[in-house]
Amino acid sequence: MSVRDFDTLPDGQIVREVTLTNARLTARFLTVGARINGLAFDGFDGLTPTVNLDAAAGSARYCGAIVGPVMNRLAGARAPLDDATLTFQANEGGNLLHSGDAGFHAAVWEIAVATKTAVTFALDLASDAFPGQRRIEVTYRLEDTDLVLEITGTTDAPTLMNVGFHPYWTLTGRGRAGHKLQVHAAHYLPMDRGNIPTGEIAEVSGTALDYRSARTPSDDIDHCFVVDERDEVAPSVTLESDTLRLDILSDAPAVHVFTGMDIGIAVEPEIHPDAPNHAHFPSIRLGPGETFHQTVIHRLTKR
């Protein structure tokens, strides 16, 4: 494990880089966004893109970052919480995407614990557009050929929480090109023109979004898939190149797949987007004494 100063933000905050290694993996992380910023496996480097601070604040702002407090979209930049309605500053049309200005992707996280093969980033938050004094911890661990991610969150007042990881994967070293995609899900969430779920949970069978068998993905996927019910970590998505295979396992009830950027394929385990506005979706309400938790395993193998 090594830690070094990476760069300085315009406001003077220092961004640090943490490098973890084991016999098979080398992973680099930045404290801005608690993001992954490079991954190598058995001599294959560049499996996730690397960004500088200009890109991290611009076109690649979500690349490799931890996104929250609520990832994905909230319709009308509004959401009910108990007897109140939370309102936000819209940042995608009339909607809120990835929590906007309150987003974790732009925050500089504390390095709470670091060992040769694991690092925990922490973020303490005062009440803002999202209520509650909150603490978020994100731990990355290297375990043989696995990159394991664990996210936890607590609050002292009722709030909304749907934190997730937003990596882009490029097993070919050529961005999104040259991959096959398999999504272990029989259902997806149809969306309106603003990429907001309609509330329907539809079958993928007979649609262009049926990726239950591995095939070359189109470049216009920006959809949330609903995985089979699970109480433990289980397969969500598999990506393959000619030389590598990546199995992504999670305990989240859904996974968002986005193929619309040349830098790679985004795979984002999550709770359903716009959940507070759809009573039949899993709840993202978090109260005092409760803990938000998500585990994701990224398992690499050679083909």
Side-chain angles (χ1 to χ4, degrees):
M1 184 273 296
S2 66
V3 180
R4 71 178 183 96
D5 290 351
F6 180 79
D7 206 343
T8 304
L9 292 169
D11 64 4
Q13 291 188 88
I14 295 173
V15 174
R16 304 176 82 192
E17 179 187 69
V18 179
T19 301
L20 305 180
T21 59
N22 69 6
R24 310 291 298 277
L25 296 166
T26 299
R28 295 181 297 278
F29 305 91
L30 300 181
T31 52
V32 63
R35 72 183 66 221
I36 192 167
N37 200 43
L39 181 68
F41 164 65
D42 277 358
F44 293 91
D45 203 353
L47 304 183
T48 64
T50 59
V51 299
N52 58 27
L53 293 193
D54 287 341
S59 61
R61 62 178 60 88
Y62 306 120
C63 179
I66 298 297
V67 173
V70 174
M71 72 184 309
N72 216 307
R73 295 169 175 88
L74 290 173
R78 300 165 64 88
L81 176 63
D82 297 342
D83 296 328
T85 297
L86 305 182
T87 59
F88 310 93
Q89 184 175 353
N91 65 337
E92 187 188 57
N95 303 319
L96 182 72
L97 173 65
H98 293 329
S99 297
D101 291 341
F104 295 169
H105 61 281
V108 177
W109 295 57
E110 171 195 357
I111 302 172
V113 182
T115 68
K116 180 178 179 180
T117 59
V119 61
T120 297
F121 297 102
L123 192 62
D124 289 303
L125 298 155
S127 181
D128 49 30
F130 293 91
Q133 301 277 338
R134 292 149 292 152
R135 181 174 175 86
I136 315 298
E137 293 189 352
V138 173
T139 298
Y140 295 97
R141 294 194 311 274
L142 308 185
E143 297 181 356
D144 192 24
T145 67
D146 293 353
L147 170 65
V148 180
L149 169 68
E150 291 195 40
I151 304 170
T152 61
T154 57
T155 182
D156 69 353
T159 194
L160 299 177
M161 194 169 291
N162 183 11
V163 185
F165 184 36
H166 199 304
Y168 285 85
W169 298 101
T170 173
L171 306 184
T172 63
R174 295 182 285 114
R176 66 188 173 192
H179 292 84
K180 289 188 176 180
L181 168 70
Q182 183 178 12
V183 183
H184 305 279
H187 295 85
Y188 76 104
L189 301 181
M191 299 180 299
D192 65 18
R193 292 183 178 180
N195 281 345
I196 297 295
T198 64
E200 181 185 3
I201 301 175
E203 294 187 0
V204 299
S205 179
T207 75
L209 293 173
D210 190 349
Y211 284 93
R212 289 175 293 176
S213 297
R215 61 187 177 94
T216 301
S218 68
D219 293 343
D220 61 355
I221 302 172
D222 190 6
H223 291 81
C224 182
F225 296 83
V226 179
V227 299
D228 295 337
E229 285 192 28
R230 57 190 56 188
D231 295 321
E232 57 186 18
V233 174
S236 293
V237 168
T238 299
L239 292 174
E240 293 180 331
S241 68
D242 290 340
T243 53
L244 296 176
R245 174 184 172 114
L246 173 64
D247 290 294
I248 299 172
L249 305 89
S250 86
D251 55 6
V255 60
H256 200 96
V257 178
F258 176 55
T259 61
M261 290 186 70
D262 290 338
I263 59 174
I265 296 174
V267 178
E268 310 155 48
E270 63 178 357
I271 303 172
H272 303 28
D274 200 35
N277 294 308
H278 302 275
H280 58 295
F281 284 2
S283 174
I284 64 170
R285 182 190 186 276
L286 188 73
E290 300 174 334
T291 299
F292 174 92
H293 185 268
Q294 185 188 109
T295 299
V296 188
I297 298 173
H298 309 87
R299 179 163 296 155
L300 285 154
T301 53
K302 293 180 180 178
R303 297 191 65 201

